[in-house]
Every structure is written in structure tokens, then in C-alpha cells.
Amino acid sequence: RPLSQLALPQVLGLILNLPSPMSLGLLSLPLRRRHWVALRQVDGVYYNLDSKLRAPEVLGDEDGVRAFLAAALAQGLCEVLLVVTKEVEEKGCWLQ
């Protein structure tokens, strides 16, 4: 579905599974592994909680998280899982 249809206020968090380059020290290898990344909203601000980062990365508001998601999806082979309450899932209100 298009990202514009995602009702972000109904979503508790997002989990991305995306390709991640492998490296051996300073040498970048031509192999890719899968990596899980969590995105979470706290007080209206979205954060990238990637374990490979030194600290959480501020993505900003809904526009910022949508831009991050669009860039991740543009890389290809990216999966996005939504974390929602049971009620939101049953009503399907995670879509606009």
C-alpha cells in the first residue's frame, strides 16, 4: 500500500527488515545480510532505534518517518511490519 494511506497515529511502532552491507574492518564486502530496525514514536517525535547506531536517530514528525520509509523501500527487498493494538488491527484503522 502507498505510504500516504498509513494512519501513523494508530501505529505504535514499525519494524523494518532490510538488506545491510557486510564489512570486515574497513573492507566492505559484496554480500548483504538482513537487518531488523525498529522505529518508534515518543511524544510526537519518531526515532530510528537501529542497534547499529550509537544513539537513537531523530526522524522528526510524520513527514520525517514517511521519508525514511520511502528511502528504505526504494532500496528494494525491504519489509515493513506495523505494531498496532489488537483493536486497531481488528478495525483495520491503520489505513486511512
Side-chain angles (χ1 to χ4, degrees):
R1 306 231 183 216
L3 290 175
S4 61
Q5 291 182 354
L6 190 58
L8 285 172
Q10 301 296 324
V11 177
L12 297 175
L14 300 105
I15 301 172
L16 284 68
N17 184 260
L18 31 89
S20 178
M22 289 182 60
S23 62
L24 188 60
L26 298 175
L27 179 62
S28 181
L29 301 175
L31 304 171
R32 292 200 177 260
R33 299 175 70 184
R34 306 299 294 173
H35 182 64
W36 294 96
V37 175
L39 307 180
R40 177 83 166 127
Q41 182 263 121
V42 178
D43 295 329
V45 179
Y46 289 85
Y47 295 90
N48 175 356
L49 303 176
D50 187 341
S51 62
K52 291 184 177 183
L53 299 173
R54 291 184 153 270
E57 175 186 31
V58 176
L59 300 176
D61 59 9
E62 286 188 22
D63 291 336
V65 78
R66 286 180 200 279
F68 181 86
L69 289 170
L73 290 168
Q75 292 180 24
L77 300 175
C78 176
E79 296 174 285
V80 178
L81 305 170
L82 303 179
V83 180
V84 298
T85 64
K86 185 175 182 175
E87 179 183 0
V88 167
E89 193 276 325
E90 288 173 349
K91 290 181 180 178
C93 58
W94 50 271
L95 285 176
Q96 296 182 36

mmCIF file of all heavy atoms in Angstrom, residues 66-94:
data_model
loop_
_atom_site.group_PDB
_atom_site.id
_atom_site.type_symbol
_atom_site.label_atom_id
_atom_site.label_comp_id
_atom_site.label_asym_id
_atom_site.label_seq_id
_atom_site.Cartn_x
_atom_site.Cartn_y
_atom_site.Cartn_z
ATOM 1 N N ARG A 66 7.857 9.115 7.155
ATOM 2 C CA ARG A 66 7.438 8.692 5.814
ATOM 3 C C ARG A 66 8.600 8.793 4.822
ATOM 4 O O ARG A 66 8.789 7.927 3.980
ATOM 5 C CB ARG A 66 6.258 9.521 5.331
ATOM 6 C CG ARG A 66 4.952 9.171 6.019
ATOM 7 C CD ARG A 66 3.804 10.029 5.497
ATOM 8 N NE ARG A 66 2.687 10.070 6.410
ATOM 9 C CZ ARG A 66 1.763 9.124 6.512
ATOM 10 N NH1 ARG A 66 1.829 8.064 5.738
ATOM 11 N NH2 ARG A 66 0.778 9.226 7.379
ATOM 12 N N ALA A 67 9.416 9.844 4.945
ATOM 13 C CA ALA A 67 10.589 9.995 4.081
ATOM 14 C C ALA A 67 11.597 8.878 4.335
ATOM 15 O O ALA A 67 12.171 8.309 3.407
ATOM 16 C CB ALA A 67 11.232 11.364 4.298
ATOM 17 N N PHE A 68 11.793 8.546 5.619
ATOM 18 C CA PHE A 68 12.709 7.452 5.963
ATOM 19 C C PHE A 68 12.211 6.132 5.383
ATOM 20 O O PHE A 68 12.978 5.363 4.808
ATOM 21 C CB PHE A 68 12.850 7.349 7.485
ATOM 22 C CG PHE A 68 13.781 6.261 7.926
ATOM 23 C CD1 PHE A 68 15.137 6.495 8.025
ATOM 24 C CD2 PHE A 68 13.301 4.999 8.241
ATOM 25 C CE1 PHE A 68 16.009 5.489 8.423
ATOM 26 C CE2 PHE A 68 14.157 3.986 8.646
ATOM 27 C CZ PHE A 68 15.512 4.240 8.738
ATOM 28 N N LEU A 69 10.908 5.868 5.531
ATOM 29 C CA LEU A 69 10.323 4.638 4.998
ATOM 30 C C LEU A 69 10.436 4.590 3.473
ATOM 31 O O LEU A 69 10.759 3.547 2.901
ATOM 32 C CB LEU A 69 8.862 4.511 5.421
ATOM 33 C CG LEU A 69 8.607 4.196 6.885
ATOM 34 C CD1 LEU A 69 7.125 4.336 7.208
ATOM 35 C CD2 LEU A 69 9.115 2.803 7.238
ATOM 36 N N ALA A 70 10.182 5.710 2.815
ATOM 37 C CA ALA A 70 10.264 5.760 1.356
ATOM 38 C C ALA A 70 11.683 5.450 0.897
ATOM 39 O O ALA A 70 11.885 4.686 -0.067
ATOM 40 C CB ALA A 70 9.822 7.130 0.842
ATOM 41 N N ALA A 71 12.676 5.990 1.584
ATOM 42 C CA ALA A 71 14.073 5.726 1.227
ATOM 43 C C ALA A 71 14.431 4.258 1.448
ATOM 44 O O ALA A 71 15.110 3.638 0.632
ATOM 45 C CB ALA A 71 15.000 6.633 2.037
ATOM 46 N N ALA A 72 13.951 3.685 2.553
ATOM 47 C CA ALA A 72 14.228 2.272 2.839
ATOM 48 C C ALA A 72 13.565 1.373 1.803
ATOM 49 O O ALA A 72 14.172 0.422 1.310
ATOM 50 C CB ALA A 72 13.744 1.914 4.246
ATOM 51 N N LEU A 73 12.323 1.678 1.444
ATOM 52 C CA LEU A 73 11.608 0.867 0.456
ATOM 53 C C LEU A 73 12.231 1.006 -0.928
ATOM 54 O O LEU A 73 12.203 0.062 -1.721
ATOM 55 C CB LEU A 73 10.136 1.259 0.430
ATOM 56 C CG LEU A 73 9.342 0.863 1.675
ATOM 57 C CD1 LEU A 73 7.984 1.554 1.692
ATOM 58 C CD2 LEU A 73 9.187 -0.640 1.761
ATOM 59 N N ALA A 74 12.806 2.164 -1.220
ATOM 60 C CA ALA A 74 13.438 2.384 -2.526
ATOM 61 C C ALA A 74 14.678 1.516 -2.708
ATOM 62 O O ALA A 74 15.071 1.228 -3.835
ATOM 63 C CB ALA A 74 13.793 3.857 -2.690
ATOM 64 N N GLN A 75 15.290 1.080 -1.610
ATOM 65 C CA GLN A 75 16.457 0.200 -1.682
ATOM 66 C C GLN A 75 16.080 -1.185 -2.187
ATOM 67 O O GLN A 75 16.933 -1.936 -2.632
ATOM 68 C CB GLN A 75 17.113 0.047 -0.310
ATOM 69 C CG GLN A 75 17.769 1.282 0.213
ATOM 70 C CD GLN A 75 18.389 1.019 1.577
ATOM 71 O OE1 GLN A 75 18.713 -0.118 1.930
ATOM 72 N NE2 GLN A 75 18.562 2.069 2.353
ATOM 73 N N GLY A 76 14.803 -1.518 -2.107
ATOM 74 C CA GLY A 76 14.339 -2.838 -2.518
ATOM 75 C C GLY A 76 14.522 -3.869 -1.429
ATOM 76 O O GLY A 76 15.278 -3.680 -0.488
ATOM 77 N N LEU A 77 13.786 -4.950 -1.555
ATOM 78 C CA LEU A 77 13.857 -6.064 -0.607
ATOM 79 C C LEU A 77 13.674 -5.642 0.844
ATOM 80 O O LEU A 77 14.271 -6.201 1.748
ATOM 81 C CB LEU A 77 15.169 -6.827 -0.768
ATOM 82 C CG LEU A 77 15.422 -7.438 -2.138
ATOM 83 C CD1 LEU A 77 16.805 -8.059 -2.189
ATOM 84 C CD2 LEU A 77 14.372 -8.479 -2.474
ATOM 85 N N CYS A 78 12.860 -4.638 1.068
ATOM 86 C CA CYS A 78 12.575 -4.159 2.418
ATOM 87 C C CYS A 78 11.172 -4.589 2.808
ATOM 88 O O CYS A 78 10.242 -4.476 2.023
ATOM 89 C CB CYS A 78 12.688 -2.635 2.457
ATOM 90 S SG CYS A 78 12.248 -1.917 4.049
ATOM 91 N N GLU A 79 11.041 -5.086 4.022
ATOM 92 C CA GLU A 79 9.731 -5.449 4.555
ATOM 93 C C GLU A 79 9.435 -4.516 5.722
ATOM 94 O O GLU A 79 10.322 -4.187 6.498
ATOM 95 C CB GLU A 79 9.729 -6.888 5.053
ATOM 96 C CG GLU A 79 9.966 -7.902 3.956
ATOM 97 C CD GLU A 79 10.095 -9.298 4.521
ATOM 98 O OE1 GLU A 79 11.149 -9.599 5.103
ATOM 99 O OE2 GLU A 79 9.120 -10.069 4.397
ATOM 100 N N VAL A 80 8.168 -4.093 5.836
ATOM 101 C CA VAL A 80 7.756 -3.214 6.918
ATOM 102 C C VAL A 80 6.634 -3.905 7.685
ATOM 103 O O VAL A 80 5.618 -4.287 7.107
ATOM 104 C CB VAL A 80 7.263 -1.845 6.394
ATOM 105 C CG1 VAL A 80 6.802 -0.973 7.551
ATOM 106 C CG2 VAL A 80 8.353 -1.161 5.590
ATOM 107 N N LEU A 81 6.843 -4.075 8.972
ATOM 108 C CA LEU A 81 5.832 -4.652 9.850
ATOM 109 C C LEU A 81 5.307 -3.543 10.757
ATOM 110 O O LEU A 81 6.080 -2.741 11.277
ATOM 111 C CB LEU A 81 6.432 -5.765 10.709
ATOM 112 C CG LEU A 81 7.136 -6.892 9.946
ATOM 113 C CD1 LEU A 81 7.880 -7.785 10.915
ATOM 114 C CD2 LEU A 81 6.138 -7.680 9.150
ATOM 115 N N LEU A 82 3.991 -3.493 10.924
ATOM 116 C CA LEU A 82 3.383 -2.491 11.787
ATOM 117 C C LEU A 82 3.084 -3.101 13.150
ATOM 118 O O LEU A 82 2.608 -4.231 13.235
ATOM 119 C CB LEU A 82 2.076 -1.986 11.183
ATOM 120 C CG LEU A 82 2.150 -1.396 9.778
ATOM 121 C CD1 LEU A 82 0.762 -0.980 9.322
ATOM 122 C CD2 LEU A 82 3.109 -0.233 9.726
ATOM 123 N N VAL A 83 3.344 -2.335 14.191
ATOM 124 C CA VAL A 83 2.996 -2.751 15.545
ATOM 125 C C VAL A 83 1.776 -1.925 15.944
ATOM 126 O O VAL A 83 1.849 -0.694 16.047
ATOM 127 C CB VAL A 83 4.162 -2.508 16.525
ATOM 128 C CG1 VAL A 83 3.778 -2.949 17.929
ATOM 129 C CG2 VAL A 83 5.419 -3.219 16.051
ATOM 130 N N VAL A 84 0.651 -2.608 16.103
ATOM 131 C CA VAL A 84 -0.604 -1.948 16.446
ATOM 132 C C VAL A 84 -1.294 -2.737 17.553
ATOM 133 O O VAL A 84 -0.975 -3.891 17.800
ATOM 134 C CB VAL A 84 -1.552 -1.824 15.220
ATOM 135 C CG1 VAL A 84 -0.925 -0.977 14.130
ATOM 136 C CG2 VAL A 84 -1.939 -3.183 14.680
ATOM 137 N N THR A 85 -2.262 -2.108 18.182
ATOM 138 C CA THR A 85 -3.046 -2.813 19.184
ATOM 139 C C THR A 85 -3.981 -3.794 18.478
ATOM 140 O O THR A 85 -4.241 -3.678 17.275
ATOM 141 C CB THR A 85 -3.895 -1.833 20.022
ATOM 142 O OG1 THR A 85 -4.838 -1.197 19.162
ATOM 143 C CG2 THR A 85 -3.027 -0.814 20.738
ATOM 144 N N LYS A 86 -4.500 -4.733 19.234
ATOM 145 C CA LYS A 86 -5.431 -5.708 18.679
ATOM 146 C C LYS A 86 -6.670 -5.000 18.124
ATOM 147 O O LYS A 86 -7.187 -5.357 17.076
ATOM 148 C CB LYS A 86 -5.822 -6.728 19.746
ATOM 149 C CG LYS A 86 -6.689 -7.836 19.224
ATOM 150 C CD LYS A 86 -6.946 -8.886 20.278
ATOM 151 C CE LYS A 86 -7.784 -9.998 19.688
ATOM 152 N NZ LYS A 86 -7.979 -11.091 20.619
ATOM 153 N N GLU A 87 -7.150 -3.982 18.830
ATOM 154 C CA GLU A 87 -8.328 -3.235 18.400
ATOM 155 C C GLU A 87 -8.087 -2.550 17.050
ATOM 156 O O GLU A 87 -8.940 -2.601 16.162
ATOM 157 C CB GLU A 87 -8.703 -2.187 19.450
ATOM 158 C CG GLU A 87 -9.892 -1.345 19.069
ATOM 159 C CD GLU A 87 -10.202 -0.268 20.108
ATOM 160 O OE1 GLU A 87 -9.491 -0.168 21.120
ATOM 161 O OE2 GLU A 87 -11.170 0.465 19.874
ATOM 162 N N VAL A 88 -6.940 -1.918 16.888
ATOM 163 C CA VAL A 88 -6.608 -1.251 15.623
ATOM 164 C C VAL A 88 -6.523 -2.278 14.504
ATOM 165 O O VAL A 88 -7.030 -2.061 13.398
ATOM 166 C CB VAL A 88 -5.281 -0.453 15.754
ATOM 167 C CG1 VAL A 88 -4.754 -0.021 14.397
ATOM 168 C CG2 VAL A 88 -5.487 0.750 16.665
ATOM 169 N N GLU A 89 -5.925 -3.419 14.783
ATOM 170 C CA GLU A 89 -5.811 -4.475 13.760
ATOM 171 C C GLU A 89 -7.192 -4.982 13.348
ATOM 172 O O GLU A 89 -7.478 -5.142 12.180
ATOM 173 C CB GLU A 89 -4.939 -5.616 14.278
ATOM 174 C CG GLU A 89 -4.504 -6.605 13.214
ATOM 175 C CD GLU A 89 -5.562 -7.663 12.941
ATOM 176 O OE1 GLU A 89 -6.264 -8.069 13.870
ATOM 177 O OE2 GLU A 89 -5.660 -8.088 11.778
ATOM 178 N N GLU A 90 -8.055 -5.232 14.334
ATOM 179 C CA GLU A 90 -9.384 -5.759 14.043
ATOM 180 C C GLU A 90 -10.233 -4.780 13.238
ATOM 181 O O GLU A 90 -10.965 -5.176 12.353
ATOM 182 C CB GLU A 90 -10.089 -6.143 15.348
ATOM 183 C CG GLU A 90 -9.517 -7.385 15.990
ATOM 184 C CD GLU A 90 -10.093 -7.668 17.373
ATOM 185 O OE1 GLU A 90 -10.788 -6.806 17.945
ATOM 186 O OE2 GLU A 90 -9.823 -8.773 17.896
ATOM 187 N N LYS A 91 -10.108 -3.505 13.534
ATOM 188 C CA LYS A 91 -10.874 -2.481 12.822
ATOM 189 C C LYS A 91 -10.215 -2.093 11.496
ATOM 190 O O LYS A 91 -10.859 -1.462 10.652
ATOM 191 C CB LYS A 91 -11.025 -1.230 13.688
ATOM 192 C CG LYS A 91 -11.931 -1.425 14.878
ATOM 193 C CD LYS A 91 -12.036 -0.130 15.665
ATOM 194 C CE LYS A 91 -12.948 -0.295 16.864
ATOM 195 N NZ LYS A 91 -13.023 0.944 17.655
ATOM 196 N N GLY A 92 -8.946 -2.459 11.330
ATOM 197 C CA GLY A 92 -8.228 -2.082 10.118
ATOM 198 C C GLY A 92 -8.006 -0.585 10.006
ATOM 199 O O GLY A 92 -7.813 -0.064 8.907
ATOM 200 N N CYS A 93 -8.004 0.113 11.139
ATOM 201 C CA CYS A 93 -7.889 1.573 11.092
ATOM 202 C C CYS A 93 -6.447 2.049 11.029
ATOM 203 O O CYS A 93 -6.184 3.235 11.237
ATOM 204 C CB CYS A 93 -8.664 2.218 12.233
ATOM 205 S SG CYS A 93 -8.181 1.695 13.864
ATOM 206 N N TRP A 94 -5.503 1.168 10.724
ATOM 207 C CA TRP A 94 -4.128 1.592 10.494
ATOM 208 C C TRP A 94 -3.958 2.146 9.082
ATOM 209 O O TRP A 94 -2.911 2.675 8.733
ATOM 210 C CB TRP A 94 -3.154 0.443 10.761
ATOM 211 C CG TRP A 94 -3.506 -0.835 10.068
ATOM 212 C CD1 TRP A 94 -4.314 -1.822 10.546
ATOM 213 C CD2 TRP A 94 -3.088 -1.271 8.785
ATOM 214 N NE1 TRP A 94 -4.424 -2.828 9.623
ATOM 215 C CE2 TRP A 94 -3.664 -2.517 8.525
ATOM 216 C CE3 TRP A 94 -2.265 -0.723 7.821
ATOM 217 C CZ2 TRP A 94 -3.479 -3.232 7.358
ATOM 218 C CZ3 TRP A 94 -2.062 -1.428 6.636
ATOM 219 C CH2 TRP A 94 -2.663 -2.663 6.423
#
